[in-house]
Coordinates of all heavy atoms in Angstrom, one line a residue:
I141 N -84.6 -17.0 9.6 CA -84.4 -18.1 10.5 C -83.6 -19.2 9.9 O -82.9 -20.0 10.6 CB -85.8 -18.6 11.0 CG1 -85.6 -19.5 12.2 CG2 -86.6 -19.3 9.9 CD1 -86.9 -19.9 12.9
M142 N -83.7 -19.4 8.6 CA -82.9 -20.4 7.9 C -81.4 -20.1 7.8 O -80.6 -21.0 7.6 CB -83.5 -20.8 6.6 CG -84.7 -21.6 6.6 SD -85.3 -22.3 5.0 CE -86.2 -20.8 4.4
S143 N -81.1 -18.8 8.0 CA -79.7 -18.4 8.0 C -79.0 -18.5 9.4 O -77.8 -18.3 9.5 CB -79.6 -17.0 7.4 OG -80.2 -16.1 8.3
V144 N -79.8 -18.7 10.4 CA -79.3 -18.8 11.8 C -78.3 -20.0 11.9 O -78.6 -21.1 11.4 CB -80.4 -18.9 12.8 CG1 -79.8 -19.1 14.2 CG2 -81.2 -17.7 12.8
Q145 N -77.1 -19.7 12.5 CA -76.2 -20.8 12.7 C -76.1 -21.1 14.2 O -76.1 -20.2 15.0 CB -74.8 -20.4 12.2 CG -74.8 -20.1 10.7 CD -73.4 -19.7 10.2 OE1 -72.7 -19.0 10.9 NE2 -73.1 -20.1 8.9
N146 N -75.9 -22.4 14.5 CA -75.7 -22.7 15.9 C -74.2 -22.5 16.3 O -73.4 -21.9 15.6 CB -76.1 -24.2 16.2 CG -75.2 -25.2 15.5 OD1 -74.3 -24.8 14.7 ND2 -75.4 -26.4 15.7
R147 N -73.8 -23.0 17.5 CA -72.5 -22.8 18.0 C -71.4 -23.4 17.0 O -70.2 -23.1 17.1 CB -72.3 -23.4 19.4 CG -73.2 -22.7 20.4 CD -73.0 -23.2 21.8 NE -73.8 -22.6 22.8 CZ -75.0 -23.0 23.1 NH1 -75.6 -24.0 22.5 NH2 -75.7 -22.3 24.0
C148 N -71.8 -24.4 16.3 CA -70.9 -25.1 15.3 C -71.0 -24.4 13.9 O -70.5 -25.0 12.9 CB -71.2 -26.6 15.2 SG -71.0 -27.4 16.8
D149 N -71.6 -23.3 13.8 CA -71.7 -22.5 12.6 C -72.5 -23.4 11.5 O -72.2 -23.4 10.3 CB -70.4 -22.2 12.0 CG -69.6 -21.2 12.9 OD1 -70.3 -20.4 13.6 OD2 -68.4 -21.3 13.0
T150 N -73.5 -24.1 12.0 CA -74.3 -24.9 11.1 C -75.8 -24.4 11.0 O -76.4 -24.1 12.1 CB -74.4 -26.4 11.7 OG1 -73.0 -26.8 11.8 CG2 -75.1 -27.3 10.7
T151 N -76.3 -24.3 9.8 CA -77.7 -23.9 9.6 C -78.6 -25.1 9.7 O -78.1 -26.3 9.8 CB -77.9 -23.2 8.3 OG1 -77.6 -24.2 7.3 CG2 -76.9 -22.0 8.1
A152 N -79.9 -24.9 9.7 CA -80.9 -26.0 9.8 C -80.7 -26.9 8.6 O -80.8 -28.1 8.7 CB -82.3 -25.4 9.9
I153 N -80.5 -26.3 7.4 CA -80.4 -27.1 6.2 C -79.1 -28.0 6.3 O -79.1 -29.2 6.0 CB -80.3 -26.2 4.9 CG1 -81.6 -25.5 4.7 CG2 -79.9 -27.1 3.7 CD1 -81.6 -24.5 3.5
Q154 N -78.0 -27.4 6.7 CA -76.8 -28.1 6.9 C -76.9 -29.3 7.9 O -76.4 -30.3 7.7 CB -75.6 -27.2 7.2 CG -75.3 -26.2 6.1 CD -74.3 -25.1 6.6 OE1 -74.3 -24.8 7.8 NE2 -73.6 -24.6 5.7
M155 N -77.7 -29.0 9.0 CA -77.9 -30.0 10.0 C -78.7 -31.2 9.4 O -78.3 -32.4 9.7 CB -78.6 -29.4 11.2 CG -78.8 -30.4 12.3 SD -77.2 -31.0 13.0 CE -77.8 -32.0 14.3
A156 N -79.7 -30.9 8.7 CA -80.5 -32.0 8.1 C -79.7 -32.8 7.1 O -79.8 -34.0 7.1 CB -81.7 -31.4 7.3
E157 N -78.8 -32.2 6.3 CA -77.9 -32.9 5.4 C -76.9 -33.7 6.2 O -76.7 -34.9 5.8 CB -77.2 -31.9 4.5 CG -78.1 -31.2 3.5 CD -77.4 -30.0 2.8 OE1 -76.4 -29.6 3.3 OE2 -78.0 -29.6 1.7
H158 N -76.4 -33.2 7.2 CA -75.4 -33.9 8.1 C -76.0 -35.1 8.7 O -75.3 -36.2 8.8 CB -74.8 -32.9 9.1 CG -73.8 -33.6 10.1 ND1 -72.6 -33.9 9.7 CD2 -74.0 -34.1 11.4 CE1 -71.9 -34.5 10.7 NE2 -72.8 -34.6 11.7
E159 N -77.2 -35.0 9.1 CA -77.9 -36.2 9.8 C -78.5 -37.1 8.8 O -79.1 -38.1 9.1 CB -79.0 -35.7 10.7 CG -78.4 -34.9 11.9 CD -77.5 -35.7 12.8 OE1 -77.8 -36.9 13.0 OE2 -76.5 -35.2 13.4
G160 N -78.3 -36.9 7.5 CA -78.9 -37.7 6.5 C -80.4 -37.6 6.3 O -81.0 -38.6 5.7
K161 N -81.0 -36.5 6.7 CA -82.4 -36.3 6.5 C -82.7 -35.6 5.2 O -82.9 -34.4 5.1 CB -83.0 -35.5 7.7 CG -82.6 -36.0 9.1 CD -83.1 -37.4 9.3 CE -82.7 -37.9 10.7 NZ -83.1 -39.3 11.0
T162 N -82.5 -36.4 4.1 CA -82.5 -35.8 2.8 C -83.8 -35.1 2.4 O -83.9 -34.1 1.8 CB -82.1 -36.8 1.7 OG1 -83.0 -38.0 1.9 CG2 -80.7 -37.3 1.9
D163 N -85.0 -35.8 2.8 CA -86.3 -35.2 2.5 C -86.5 -33.8 3.2 O -87.0 -32.9 2.6 CB -87.4 -36.1 2.9 CG -87.5 -37.3 1.9 OD1 -86.9 -37.3 0.8 OD2 -88.1 -38.3 2.3
T164 N -86.1 -33.8 4.4 CA -86.2 -32.5 5.2 C -85.3 -31.5 4.6 O -85.7 -30.3 4.5 CB -85.8 -32.8 6.7 OG1 -86.7 -33.8 7.2 CG2 -86.1 -31.5 7.5
A165 N -84.1 -31.8 4.3 CA -83.1 -30.9 3.7 C -83.7 -30.4 2.3 O -83.5 -29.2 2.0 CB -81.8 -31.6 3.4
R166 N -84.3 -31.2 1.6 CA -84.9 -30.8 0.3 C -86.0 -29.8 0.5 O -86.1 -28.8 -0.2 CB -85.4 -32.0 -0.5 CG -86.1 -31.7 -1.8 CD -86.7 -33.0 -2.5 NE -87.5 -33.7 -1.6 CZ -88.7 -33.4 -1.2 NH1 -89.3 -32.4 -1.8 NH2 -89.4 -34.2 -0.4
V167 N -86.9 -30.1 1.5 CA -88.0 -29.2 1.8 C -87.5 -27.8 2.2 O -88.0 -26.8 1.8 CB -88.9 -29.8 2.8 CG1 -89.9 -28.8 3.4 CG2 -89.7 -31.0 2.2
L168 N -86.5 -27.8 3.1 CA -85.9 -26.6 3.6 C -85.3 -25.8 2.4 O -85.5 -24.6 2.3 CB -84.8 -26.9 4.6 CG -85.3 -27.2 6.0 CD1 -84.2 -27.9 6.8 CD2 -85.8 -25.9 6.7
T169 N -84.6 -26.5 1.5 CA -84.0 -25.8 0.4 C -85.1 -25.2 -0.5 O -84.9 -24.1 -1.0 CB -83.1 -26.8 -0.4 OG1 -82.1 -27.3 0.4 CG2 -82.5 -26.1 -1.6
E170 N -86.2 -25.9 -0.7 CA -87.3 -25.4 -1.6 C -87.9 -24.2 -0.9 O -88.2 -23.2 -1.6 CB -88.3 -26.5 -1.7 CG -87.9 -27.6 -2.6 CD -88.9 -28.8 -2.6 OE1 -89.9 -28.7 -1.9 OE2 -88.7 -29.8 -3.4
Y171 N -88.1 -24.2 0.4 CA -88.6 -23.0 1.1 C -87.7 -21.8 0.9 O -88.1 -20.7 0.7 CB -88.9 -23.3 2.6 CG -90.2 -23.8 2.9 CD1 -90.6 -25.2 2.8 CD2 -91.2 -22.9 3.3 CE1 -91.8 -25.6 3.1 CE2 -92.5 -23.4 3.7 CZ -92.8 -24.8 3.6 OH -94.1 -25.2 3.9
Q172 N -86.4 -22.1 1.1 CA -85.4 -21.0 1.0 C -85.4 -20.4 -0.4 O -85.4 -19.2 -0.5 CB -84.0 -21.6 1.4 CG -83.0 -20.5 1.5 CD -81.6 -21.1 1.8 OE1 -81.1 -22.0 1.1 NE2 -81.0 -20.6 2.9
Q173 N -85.4 -21.2 -1.4 CA -85.4 -20.7 -2.8 C -86.7 -19.9 -3.1 O -86.6 -18.8 -3.7 CB -85.3 -21.9 -3.7 CG -83.9 -22.6 -3.7 CD -83.9 -23.9 -4.6 OE1 -84.9 -24.4 -5.0 NE2 -82.7 -24.4 -4.8
R174 N -87.8 -20.4 -2.7 CA -89.1 -19.7 -2.9 C -89.1 -18.3 -2.1 O -89.5 -17.3 -2.7 CB -90.3 -20.5 -2.4 CG -90.7 -21.6 -3.4 CD -92.1 -22.1 -3.1 NE -92.2 -22.6 -1.8 CZ -92.1 -23.9 -1.4 NH1 -91.8 -24.8 -2.4 NH2 -92.3 -24.3 -0.2
A175 N -88.6 -18.4 -0.9 CA -88.5 -17.1 -0.1 C -87.6 -16.1 -0.8 O -87.9 -14.9 -0.8 CB -88.0 -17.4 1.3
L176 N -86.4 -16.6 -1.3 CA -85.5 -15.7 -1.9 C -86.0 -15.1 -3.2 O -85.8 -13.9 -3.5 CB -84.2 -16.4 -2.2 CG -83.3 -16.8 -1.0 CD1 -82.2 -17.7 -1.4 CD2 -82.7 -15.5 -0.4
I177 N -86.8 -15.9 -4.0 CA -87.4 -15.4 -5.2 C -88.5 -14.3 -4.8 O -88.5 -13.3 -5.5 CB -88.1 -16.5 -6.0 CG1 -87.0 -17.4 -6.6 CG2 -89.0 -16.0 -7.1 CD1 -87.5 -18.7 -7.2
E178 N -89.3 -14.6 -3.8 CA -90.3 -13.7 -3.4 C -89.7 -12.4 -2.9 O -90.2 -11.3 -3.2 CB -91.2 -14.3 -2.3 CG -92.3 -13.4 -1.9 CD -93.2 -14.1 -0.8 OE1 -93.2 -15.3 -0.8 OE2 -93.9 -13.3 -0.1
Y179 N -88.6 -12.5 -2.2 CA -87.9 -11.3 -1.6 C -87.4 -10.5 -2.8 O -87.5 -9.2 -2.8 CB -86.8 -11.8 -0.7 CG -85.9 -10.6 -0.2 CD1 -86.3 -9.9 0.9 CD2 -84.7 -10.3 -0.8 CE1 -85.6 -8.8 1.4 CE2 -83.9 -9.2 -0.4 CZ -84.4 -8.5 0.7 OH -83.6 -7.5 1.2
Q180 N -86.8 -11.2 -3.8 CA -86.2 -10.4 -4.9 C -87.3 -9.8 -5.8 O -87.1 -8.6 -6.2 CB -85.4 -11.4 -5.8 CG -84.7 -10.7 -7.0 CD -83.9 -11.7 -7.8 OE1 -83.8 -12.9 -7.5 NE2 -83.2 -11.2 -8.8
Q181 N -88.4 -10.5 -6.0 CA -89.5 -9.9 -6.7 C -90.1 -8.7 -6.0 O -90.4 -7.7 -6.7 CB -90.6 -10.9 -6.9 CG -90.2 -12.0 -7.9 CD -91.2 -13.1 -8.0 OE1 -92.1 -13.3 -7.1 NE2 -91.2 -13.9 -9.1
R182 N -90.2 -8.8 -4.7 CA -90.7 -7.6 -4.0 C -89.8 -6.4 -4.0 O -90.2 -5.3 -4.1 CB -91.0 -8.0 -2.5 CG -91.8 -7.0 -1.7 CD -92.3 -7.5 -0.4 NE -91.2 -8.0 0.5 CZ -91.0 -9.3 0.7 NH1 -91.8 -10.2 0.2 NH2 -90.1 -9.6 1.6
A183 N -88.5 -6.7 -4.0 CA -87.5 -5.6 -4.0 C -87.6 -5.0 -5.4 O -87.4 -3.7 -5.5 CB -86.1 -6.2 -3.8
E184 N -87.8 -5.8 -6.5 CA -87.8 -5.2 -7.8 C -89.1 -4.4 -8.0 O -89.1 -3.3 -8.6 CB -87.8 -6.3 -8.8 CG -86.5 -7.0 -9.0 CD -86.5 -8.3 -9.9 OE1 -87.7 -8.6 -10.3 OE2 -85.5 -8.8 -10.1
R185 N -90.2 -4.8 -7.4 CA -91.5 -4.0 -7.5 C -91.3 -2.7 -6.7 O -91.8 -1.7 -7.2 CB -92.6 -4.8 -6.9 CG -93.1 -6.0 -7.8 CD -94.5 -6.5 -7.3 NE -94.4 -7.0 -5.9 CZ -94.2 -8.2 -5.6 NH1 -94.0 -9.1 -6.5 NH2 -94.2 -8.6 -4.3
L186 N -90.7 -2.8 -5.6 CA -90.4 -1.5 -4.8 C -89.6 -0.6 -5.6 O -89.8 0.6 -5.6 CB -89.8 -1.9 -3.5 CG -89.5 -0.7 -2.6 CD1 -90.8 0.0 -2.2 CD2 -88.8 -1.2 -1.3
Q187 N -88.5 -1.1 -6.3 CA -87.6 -0.2 -7.0 C -88.4 0.4 -8.2 O -88.2 1.6 -8.5 CB -86.5 -1.1 -7.6 CG -85.4 -0.2 -8.3 CD -84.2 -1.0 -8.8 OE1 -84.2 -2.3 -8.6 NE2 -83.3 -0.4 -9.3

């Protein structure tokens, strides 16, 4: 869901940054990073 782009090819993180919502952008980035780490760890365990 965080990779979804709107008609202007903008993601939720990019929209928060564009609107100057720095706290929200930071939280979204943290969620994204944690999710990517968890995904990678799960992929490694499966391998």
Side-chain angles (χ1 to χ4, degrees):
I141 195 170
M142 282 190 279
S143 66
V144 173
Q145 297 178 328
N146 68 353
R147 294 183 182 88
C148 299
D149 298 327
T150 305
T151 65
I153 294 176
Q154 291 168 336
M155 183 61 179
E157 292 172 341
H158 176 74
E159 294 297 324
K161 310 300 182 182
T162 54
D163 287 344
T164 305
R166 175 182 54 77
V167 168
L168 280 162
T169 301
E170 289 172 355
Y171 268 86
Q172 187 180 56
Q173 290 173 345
R174 285 198 299 267
L176 287 169
I177 291 172
E178 184 177 336
Y179 176 81
Q180 184 177 1
Q181 289 175 340
R182 189 166 60 251
E184 289 174 354
R185 287 195 300 269
L186 179 61
Q187 184 178 5

